[in-house]
């Protein structure tokens, strides 16, 4: 089938949809912060897509990400523990190891510092 000069392959589209375990929904410029599992600040980012299984994030800078880390959703005030699934430039896909939970459930003061307006790394 042709649409404005582009050949649409129905089977390729169906295959791509079936590979996705969870439907995703786009978010609007949703700010987030990343921290290592040892509570060290990594960088700020923006959540692009969200699903029951994970997130697609856009990093604010091109830095190395650890295999596993925390994502703090600034708007929702939740923290999720995630594993890096893929990386393409400033974009990355992460899968939940521990789904998002309210920051209030975290006794760990290092992680709770992510919720502060200006996150400071101690020397």
């Amino acid at each position: 089938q042709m649409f404005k000069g582009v050949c649409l392959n129905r089977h390729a589209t169906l295959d791509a949809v079936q590979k996705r375990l969870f439907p995703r929904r786009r978010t609007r410029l949703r700010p987030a912060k990343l921290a290592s599992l040892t509570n060290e600040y990594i960088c700020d980012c923006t959540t692009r897509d969200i699903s029951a299984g994970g997130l697609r994030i856009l990093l604010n800078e091109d830095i190395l990400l650890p295999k596993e880390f925390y994502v703090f959703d600034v708007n929702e005030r939740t923290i999720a523990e995630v594993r890096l699934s893929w990386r393409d430039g400033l974009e990355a896909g992460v899968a939940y190891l521990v789904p998002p939970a309210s920051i209030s459930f975290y006794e760990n003061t290092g992680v709770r510092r992510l919720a502060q307006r200006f996150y400071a790394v101690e020397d």
Side-chain angles (χ1 to χ4, degrees):
Q1 184 180 15
M2 295 290 287
F3 181 75
K4 291 189 179 182
V6 177
C7 181
L8 300 178
N9 184 334
R10 221 183 209 168
H11 296 292
T13 304
L14 287 174
D15 288 346
V17 169
Q18 289 171 350
K19 285 180 186 174
R20 182 163 304 285
L21 296 174
F22 303 99
R24 64 182 179 191
R25 63 182 167 80
R26 201 165 246 343
T27 61
R28 289 193 177 176
L29 300 177
R30 197 163 169 168
K33 298 178 184 180
L34 307 182
S36 71
L37 297 185
T38 56
N39 305 324
E40 295 170 31
Y41 173 80
I42 298 171
C43 72
D44 287 353
C45 69
T46 304
T47 303
R48 298 288 303 266
D49 292 324
I50 188 167
S51 77
L55 306 164
R56 180 168 59 121
I57 57 176
L58 179 63
L59 303 174
N60 288 7
E61 54 188 289
D62 189 13
I63 62 165
L64 191 62
L65 290 176
K67 187 179 248 182
E68 297 177 354
F69 52 94
Y70 293 117
V71 176
F72 172 67
D73 184 313
V74 174
N75 291 355
E76 298 293 319
R77 299 190 55 77
T78 59
I79 289 186
E81 188 175 333
V82 300
R83 173 178 289 135
L84 184 63
S85 298
W86 59 268
R87 175 85 185 261
D88 184 9
L90 292 177
E91 284 195 325
V94 299
Y96 294 134
L97 295 173
V98 178
S102 171
I103 188 82
S104 64
F105 292 123
Y106 283 80
E107 295 290 325
N108 180 334
T109 57
V111 174
R112 288 184 72 122
R113 283 185 298 172
L114 285 172
Q116 295 173 2
R117 184 176 200 117
F118 299 103
Y119 186 85
V121 178
E122 295 178 15
D123 291 334

